[in-house]
């Protein structure tokens, strides 16, 4: 079977590298977010002068990394965050002479950053101006099921709903939000709907002198006419990959850092199906956090970090005092298996370039302990799930379908039951020849071990995760507790697989 190939990265001949935009010199002030088509809703009045520079396509490499647009807090009550997300179409110029229609939150790609503190109550109104149903799912957050944007709770076109939840102390971490309607999740996300959601701690142990950078990686496929084409049959099978990997909506931007400076990077993999094997040339990385927040202690000296779709990571990067003129954050080749997929994710892709300024910074040390992170304890019950693939019926025939326990998703069925507050051990066995990132809603889990070819490796450190890659023919075991009653989704986070039924319903009962 042949397939269309869109794996053309770094079209060096066609992009102009901007000069004279050396960024902020490493200070706290970043360049303002460049306008990308229609302006986001007014959070503050725009400066009256000077006139905005001529629009530069976000696909032009080498521009200073944009700050994320921030969702304004309209609440005046302390400890309450209130805001509005409008799901709507927005047009932006990506390729010269064309216009690209995205589906967005508040016309922003990626969606606006939501930033709250532990203990806050969050009230977010969703206005659905799309022509199909949608929901907002708070990926990884411990919110009640009826506030979590399940596919069983759609918001119809033209309708509005309020999501409300309170985030417990201890939930500080790097989360995200995205649509979760029945069968349309993959398309709504690849057309632009996904945003970062940070829960901060008022007692964050990472020194504030270690400046933070937020990086949202998304995957855009553009046709020559500037449109975002629908999924092909192969995309539905393998998961969609695009022809531009974007960071904060920009292609290969430039992030400035001073010699000797340490920065804390939070990275979200908001792609439908792209595995990011992250490495920074000439540097090692110090892992400090995963999906659900900080580790108990920093883990220095890593050469690379694999970030499957939907995963997040926090690490610290320290620029050398005599660093080369530039270092590149790149995604190294990764073989995630699958049908005739040689080449998918199998090239090195630059994500962004570091630009070193001349001002030297003194090193800032990380504390040796970040926060106490205790093991969940001894499980009192266990569950086992099997990922498999089989030849699908219908749909043109010959296409693989991806199943959990031999079944395809049915929103009216309950597949598993758990008792609230019970410590469970879950084992996910992947009997297919392709990697699948497993995700469970409403809580964070602790991976215990991974087994490949009969060899079991205990997880070397305790970490909170809500998504874990289960490689082809691998088995992963984790411990988990659910704290809210109601129905939770679990699924593969290759969104094409999720939207085509690689998903189940867990009911949490008293
Ligand atoms: Cu990222 Cu079911 O979600
Ligand atoms: Cu989720
Ligand atoms: Cu999958």
């Amino acid at each position: 079977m042949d397939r269309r190939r869109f794996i053309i990265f770094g079209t060096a001949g066609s992009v102009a590298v901007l000069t004279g935009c050396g960024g902020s010199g490493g200070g706290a002030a970043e360049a303002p977010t460049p306008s990308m088509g229609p302006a986001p809703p007014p959070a503050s009045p725009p400066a009256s002068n000077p006139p905005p520079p001529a629009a530069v396509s976000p696909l032009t490499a080498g521009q200073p990394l944009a700050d994320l647009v921030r969702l304004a807090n309209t609440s005046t009550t302390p400890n309450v965050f209130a805001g509005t997300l409008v799901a709507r179409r927005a047009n932006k110029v990506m390729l010269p002479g064309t216009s690209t229609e995205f589906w967005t939150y508040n016309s922003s790609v990626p969606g606006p950053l939501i930033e709250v503190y532990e203990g806050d109550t969050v009230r977010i109104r969703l206005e659905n101006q799309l022509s199909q149903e949608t929901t907002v799912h708070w990926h990884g957050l411990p919110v009640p099921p009826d506030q979590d944007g399940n596919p069983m709770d759609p918001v119809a076109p033209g309708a509005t709903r309020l999501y409300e939840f309170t985030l417990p102390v201890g939930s500080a971490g790097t989360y995200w939000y995205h649509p979760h309607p029945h069968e349309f999740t993959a398309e709504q996300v690849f057309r632009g709907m996904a945003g970062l959601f940070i829960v901060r701690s008022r007692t964050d142990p990472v020194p504030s002198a270690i400046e933070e950078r937020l990086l949202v990686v998304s995957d855009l496929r553009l046709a020559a006419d500037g449109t975002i084409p629908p999924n092909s049959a192969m995309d539905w099978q393998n998961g969609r990959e695009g022809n531009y990997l974007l960071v904060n909506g920009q292609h290969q931007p430039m992030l400035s850092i001073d010699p000797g400076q340490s920065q804390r990077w939070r990275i979200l993999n908001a792609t439908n199906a792209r595995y990011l094997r992250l490495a920074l040339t000439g540097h090692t990385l110090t892992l400090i956090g995963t999906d659900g927040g900080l580790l108990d202690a920093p883990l220095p000296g890593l050469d690379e970090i694999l970030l499957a779709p939907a995963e997040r990571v926090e690490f610290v990067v320290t620029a050398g005092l005599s660093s080369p003129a530039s270092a590149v954050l790149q995604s190294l080749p990764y073989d995630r298996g699958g049908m005739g997929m040689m080449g998918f994710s199998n090239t090195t892709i630059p994500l962004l370039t570091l630009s070193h300024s001349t001002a030297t910074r003194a090193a800032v040390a990380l504390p040796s302990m970040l926060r106490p992170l205790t093991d969940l304890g001894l499980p009192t019950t266990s569950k086992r799930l099997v990922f498999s693939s089989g030849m699908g019926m219908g749909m043109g025939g010959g296409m693989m379908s991806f199943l959990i326990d031999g079944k395809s998703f049915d929103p009216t069925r309950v597949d598993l039951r758990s008792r609230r507050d019970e410590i469970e051990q879950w084992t996910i066995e992947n009997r297919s020849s392709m990697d699948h990132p497993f995700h469970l809603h409403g809580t964070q889990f602790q991976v215990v071990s991974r087994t490949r070819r009969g060899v079991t490796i205990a997880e070397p450190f305790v970490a909170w995760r809500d998504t874990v890659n289960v490689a082809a023919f691998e088995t992963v075991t984790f411990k988990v507790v659910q704290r809210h009653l109601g129905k939770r989704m679990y699924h593969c986070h290759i969104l094409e697989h999720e939207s085509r039924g690689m998903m189940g319903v867990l009911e949490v009962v008293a």
Side-chain angles (χ1 to χ4, degrees):
M1 187 176 294
D2 204 3
R3 58 195 185 276
R4 281 182 287 171
R5 297 299 305 273
F6 290 97
I7 316 301
I8 307 158
F9 282 92
T11 49
S14 64
V15 295
V17 176
L18 282 184
T19 56
C21 54
S24 60
E30 283 283 319
T33 305
S35 64
M36 283 180 41
S44 52
S48 49
N49 58 57
V56 177
S57 164
L59 298 184
T60 303
Q63 298 178 79
L65 178 72
D67 275 348
L68 295 169
V69 171
R70 190 177 293 260
L71 188 67
N73 182 6
T74 57
S75 159
T76 51
T77 311
N79 307 316
V80 173
F81 182 98
T84 298
L85 291 174
V86 181
R88 65 175 170 227
R89 295 159 194 259
N91 280 75
K92 299 172 192 304
V93 176
M94 304 300 284
L95 299 174
T98 70
S99 175
T100 301
E101 181 191 282
F102 289 88
W103 299 358
T104 72
Y105 293 111
N106 300 359
S107 302
S108 171
V109 179
L113 164 67
I114 300 175
E115 202 178 352
V116 303
Y117 280 91
E118 291 177 336
D120 280 1
T121 293
V122 179
R123 291 195 190 113
I124 296 196
R125 213 164 58 91
L126 169 69
E127 261 180 63
N128 183 7
Q129 295 181 3
L130 300 174
S131 52
Q132 57 183 216
E133 57 185 37
T134 191
T135 75
V136 185
H137 168 55
W138 314 101
H139 181 120
L141 287 168
V143 314
D146 60 351
Q147 303 302 312
D148 206 16
N150 281 342
M152 300 83 95
D153 302 321
V155 178
T160 288
R161 83 152 274 179
L162 181 70
Y163 293 99
E164 177 167 352
F165 45 87
T166 299
L167 294 169
V169 170
S171 61
T174 311
Y175 305 89
W176 61 304
Y177 62 94
H178 61 78
H180 219 305
H182 187 38
E183 293 174 331
F184 300 130
T185 299
E187 179 171 25
Q188 291 184 10
V189 174
F190 78 63
R191 295 198 182 279
M193 297 172 74
L196 191 62
F197 191 122
I198 293 183
V199 182
R200 294 198 180 275
S201 161
R202 296 193 192 275
T203 56
D204 194 317
V206 179
S208 56
I210 299 182
E211 283 171 26
E212 197 175 76
R213 296 290 183 270
L214 308 177
L215 307 174
V216 176
V217 179
S218 60
D219 200 355
L220 177 66
R221 184 188 300 165
L222 285 181
D225 65 358
T227 58
I228 299 175
N231 274 344
S232 67
M234 284 309 281
D235 293 327
W236 285 115
Q237 178 162 323
N238 292 329
R240 178 188 180 101
E241 296 188 354
N243 46 354
Y244 296 95
L245 267 184
L246 304 181
V247 181
N248 298 358
Q250 297 170 293
H251 189 224
Q252 297 172 5
M254 187 126 70
L255 185 158
S256 79
I257 192 166
D258 297 334
Q261 186 186 12
S262 291
Q263 292 183 355
R264 171 190 195 168
W265 292 4
R266 298 190 195 236
I267 305 188
L268 157 64
N269 183 344
T271 69
N272 278 36
R274 177 88 60 176
Y275 280 64
L276 303 174
R277 198 180 138 207
L278 299 171
L280 183 63
T281 53
H283 296 74
T284 60
L285 310 171
T286 298
L287 182 69
I288 60 168
T290 51
D291 303 333
L294 294 173
L295 304 179
D296 59 355
L299 198 68
L302 301 181
D303 291 320
E304 57 180 71
I305 292 173
L306 181 67
L307 206 60
E311 284 190 294
R312 291 85 66 206
V313 71
E314 290 183 63
F315 56 78
V316 170
V317 169
T318 302
L321 283 174
S322 56
S323 289
S326 63
V328 180
L329 177 70
Q330 50 193 20
S331 181
L332 301 173
Y334 181 78
D335 178 8
R336 62 185 178 89
M339 300 272 296
M341 283 180 51
M342 257 91 69
F344 257 69
S345 292
N346 250 346
T347 50
T348 295
I349 302 161
L351 291 175
L352 60 75
T353 302
L354 282 191
S355 82
H356 288 261
S357 68
T358 47
T360 296
R361 297 274 193 115
V364 180
L366 274 171
S368 58
M369 293 301 295
L370 296 170
R371 64 161 174 177
L373 211 170
T374 43
D375 185 287
L376 268 178
L378 216 56
T380 51
T381 185
S382 64
K383 290 184 162 53
R384 190 175 185 91
L385 298 184
V386 175
F387 285 169
S388 65
S389 54
M391 294 315 265
M393 311 298 232
M395 292 198 325
M399 295 306 291
M400 305 295 283
S401 60
F402 295 96
L403 306 169
I404 302 181
D405 291 335
K407 293 175 290 189
S408 191
F409 176 60
D410 177 348
T412 65
R413 190 180 63 215
V414 170
D415 299 282
L416 296 174
R417 284 203 171 75
S418 290
R419 269 186 208 293
R420 182 175 58 184
D421 297 334
E422 186 165 34
I423 304 169
E424 300 190 317
Q425 173 167 295
W426 287 44
T427 299
I428 318 293
E429 179 186 351
N430 183 355
R431 286 190 199 152
S432 79
S433 58
M434 184 175 185
D435 289 22
H436 299 284
F438 175 85
H439 169 53
L440 172 62
H441 285 200
T443 190
Q444 297 285 317
F445 52 74
Q446 296 180 344
V447 174
V448 173
S449 65
R450 309 179 196 232
T451 305
R452 279 198 216 194
R453 292 184 205 90
V455 180
T456 297
I457 296 180
E459 192 75 347
F461 53 91
V462 181
W464 288 120
R465 302 179 188 277
D466 53 58
T467 306
V468 62
N469 188 44
V470 188
F473 302 112
E474 185 182 40
T475 296
V476 172
T477 298
F478 60 78
K479 295 194 283 196
V480 66
V481 179
Q482 292 280 357
R483 303 288 184 194
H484 294 271
L485 299 181
K487 289 179 182 169
R488 294 299 192 184
M489 321 308 296
Y490 55 89
H491 56 90
C492 172
H493 221 290
I494 287 177
L495 289 176
E496 280 68 26
H497 295 174
E498 177 274 343
S499 292
R500 284 289 167 97
M502 198 175 187
M503 176 157 65
V505 178
L506 167 76
E507 184 166 28
V508 181
V509 297

